[in-house]
Structures are given as C-alpha cells and as structure tokens.
C-alpha cells in the first residue's frame, strides 16, 4: 500500500493529477492521503509527520519556495520519502539527482508513466521492509525507519514509539515488539525498550538518549546486568568505528 501526497500551488493541477491517480488506483489499496498548495506548507508538514507518506508528487514551479528547494529541505530530515517531480518543463531534470528523486514527469503525465512510477515506488519500498517499523493507530498507518526510533515505552495496553520529533501511540505489547526488533533494541526496564545506537550515556540506573531533551530513561534492577553489558558493547563499538 502506497500513501501518496501531492504538492502543487495550482488547484487545477492538483485535481488533474489526483483524478489520474485515482483511476489507476481503483483496484489497489493505495490512497492519496494529503494535498499541499505550497512548498513551505509541504516541508513543514512532512518534517513534523515522518512516516505518514511514502510517495510525494512535487511540482517544480511554485511561488516563493519551488519544488526543488522544498525537496532539499525535506531531504535534510527524511531520506526515505520517495520524491517524484512534476513540471511543465524539462529544464530541471538533472537537478532531481541532487535529492535522489525517483522520477521526473512532464505535465500532463500519461497514465502509462504514472503506472510505471507507482510500480517502481512499490519496488523501491519492498526491499526496505526489514528496515522499517510499521504501526497502525487511530490516525492511520505509519512506516518509520528503525534508525529514527529512540525508544519504546509501554503504558497499560498501549505502546509509545518515540522519535526525535514525535511520539506515536498504538495498541500493543512491549514483549511482542521486543521479539520483532533488531538486536540493537535492548530491554532496559519492564516498560522501556531502547535503541542502543541512540544511547549517549550509560549510568548505574539510567541511560540518556540522543535527542534535544537528553532524556533519562530508567534501567531497572532486573534488567541492569544484561542491559548494561549490551549497551556498554554498543557504546564501545561506536568508539572503535
């Protein structure tokens, strides 16, 4: 399933592209989840909501902030979002390589080219499934890179996934999540599962993680010995690299 967004400052252009995509997606689970009328709005939203969109169709020629400028800002915080430029000209086609664009479509894009883009987008995402954590809550479905996750913590029947920019709450059990995560995610407490790559300090009964707040997470007595050994190795491994 692809979650698609469109950014174009012309409403008629957004409508035309949406209608074309909806015809193609008629028999799939793909959906257009967001539309933006400016590069600034698009960058702000994408930056604040990582993991909510897989593929962004981005118009190059817009007002104060054109599509190329917007793409460069998006890439500062998001390497996994697939970008497709849509434009009336071919002048910028080589600039797309600077931001690792999936494709470059000249308006109006034909159904065949759009089908090809959607197919390639799915192929691009498919090999990366083991690099992402997928969760579902009342807001929708999120696909978040493991490297963006600082830690998980449980609260009754819910689990909170914490990144540097946002916390995602969903129904689940921390024990189940621990089983599916990679070995660098270490249980430090009955309620906490931390990404060892994000730990910046290991104390006797707490760790700090790499975010602006330098949060302290508790290390329980029951988990202390095993967690401390694993985290110490992870920290020392980072020194040796």
């Amino acid at each position: 399933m692809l979650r698609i967004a469109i950014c174009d400052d012309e409403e008629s252009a957004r409508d035309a592209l949406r209608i074309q995509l909806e015809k193609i997606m008629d028999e799939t689970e793909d959906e257009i989840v967001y539309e933006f009328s400016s590069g600034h709005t698009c960058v702000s939203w994408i930056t604040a909501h990582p993991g909510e969109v897989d593929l962004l169709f981005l118009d190059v020629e817009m007002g104060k902030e054109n599509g190329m400028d917007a793409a460069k800002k998006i890439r500062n915080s998001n390497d996994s979002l697939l970008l497709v430029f849509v434009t009336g000209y071919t002048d910028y086609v080589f600039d797309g390589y600077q931001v690792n664009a999936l494709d470059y479509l000249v308006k109006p894009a034909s159904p065949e080219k759009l089908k090809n883009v959607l197919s390639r987008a799915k192929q691009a995402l498919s090999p990366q499934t083991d690099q992402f954590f997928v969760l579902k809550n009342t807001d929708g479905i999120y696909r978040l890179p493991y490297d963006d996750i600082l830690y998980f913590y449980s609260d009754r029947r819910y689990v909170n996934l914490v990144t540097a920019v946002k916390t995602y709450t969903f129904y689940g059990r921390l024990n189940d999540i621990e089983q599916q995560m990679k070995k660098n995610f270490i249980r430090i407490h009955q309620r906490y599962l931390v990404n060892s790559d994000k730990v910046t300090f290991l104390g006797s009964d707490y760790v700090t993680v790499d975010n602006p707040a330098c949060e302290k997470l508790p290390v329980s007595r029951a988990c202390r010995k095993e967690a401390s050994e694993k985290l110490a190795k992870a920290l020392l491994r980072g020194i040796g690299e």
Side-chain angles (χ1 to χ4, degrees):
M1 172 184 171
L2 285 175
R3 296 159 303 164
I4 300 168
I6 299 171
C7 180
D8 196 310
D9 59 350
E10 294 184 5
E11 184 177 1
S12 59
R14 293 197 307 273
D15 290 344
L17 180 56
R18 186 186 67 251
I19 290 170
Q20 284 182 291
L21 287 169
E22 286 175 343
K23 289 179 180 177
I24 296 171
M25 300 185 303
D26 190 42
E27 297 180 0
T28 71
E29 294 183 353
D30 304 333
E31 62 176 327
I32 299 170
V33 290
Y34 295 104
E35 293 185 24
F36 305 100
S37 59
S38 73
H40 175 74
T41 303
C42 178
V43 171
S44 298
W45 194 93
I46 292 292
T47 302
H49 298 82
E52 295 193 32
V53 170
D54 301 311
L55 174 63
L56 172 63
F57 286 91
L58 187 57
D59 181 37
V60 175
E61 300 86 24
M62 291 190 285
K64 294 181 180 179
E65 184 165 57
N66 66 38
M68 195 60 63
D69 292 335
K72 290 176 181 177
K73 291 181 179 179
I74 288 172
R75 279 290 180 252
N76 287 334
S77 61
N78 192 320
D79 291 326
S80 60
L81 179 64
L82 299 176
L83 299 175
V84 173
F85 289 111
V86 184
T87 179
Y89 308 93
T90 59
D91 300 11
Y92 302 94
V93 63
F94 293 107
D95 294 340
Y97 292 110
Q98 299 178 30
V99 291
N100 193 27
L102 178 69
D103 210 334
Y104 197 102
L105 302 178
V106 177
K107 298 178 182 177
S110 68
E112 290 74 20
K113 288 187 177 181
L114 286 174
K115 286 180 182 178
N116 180 265
V117 165
L118 297 185
S119 175
R120 289 171 56 206
K122 291 177 181 179
Q123 290 175 6
L125 289 172
S126 180
Q128 300 176 358
T129 53
D130 62 342
Q131 301 175 32
F132 290 80
F133 182 83
V134 179
L135 68 91
K136 182 177 182 179
N137 60 18
T138 55
D139 295 324
I141 300 173
Y142 300 86
R143 184 186 288 115
L144 301 165
Y146 283 145
D147 193 51
D148 287 353
I149 302 171
L150 298 177
Y151 62 92
F152 296 87
Y153 74 92
S154 62
D155 183 10
R156 297 184 177 88
R157 296 193 298 171
Y158 291 90
V159 174
N160 298 277
L161 183 158
V162 181
T163 71
V165 296
K166 187 174 179 178
T167 297
Y168 303 82
T169 302
F170 59 100
Y171 182 82
R173 297 174 67 247
L174 201 57
N175 287 343
D176 296 335
I177 294 169
E178 183 181 10
Q179 293 299 315
Q180 75 178 85
M181 301 305 289
K182 294 183 177 181
K183 61 182 180 181
N184 58 305
F185 282 82
I186 297 170
R187 192 70 170 261
I188 60 172
H189 190 282
Q190 182 181 0
R191 295 179 57 199
Y192 288 85
L193 180 67
V194 68
N195 184 348
S196 63
D197 293 338
K198 302 299 182 180
V199 172
T200 56
F201 176 79
L202 171 61
S204 59
D205 59 358
Y206 72 92
V207 300
T208 59
V209 292
D210 185 19
N211 67 351
C214 291
E215 291 179 87
K216 292 183 178 181
L217 307 181
V219 178
S220 69
R221 187 172 299 176
C223 298
R224 188 170 302 160
K225 184 177 185 298
E226 183 176 359
S228 295
E229 289 176 356
K230 291 180 178 179
L231 289 170
K233 287 180 181 179
L235 289 168
L236 292 171
R237 184 174 63 247
I239 294 173
E241 290 177 351

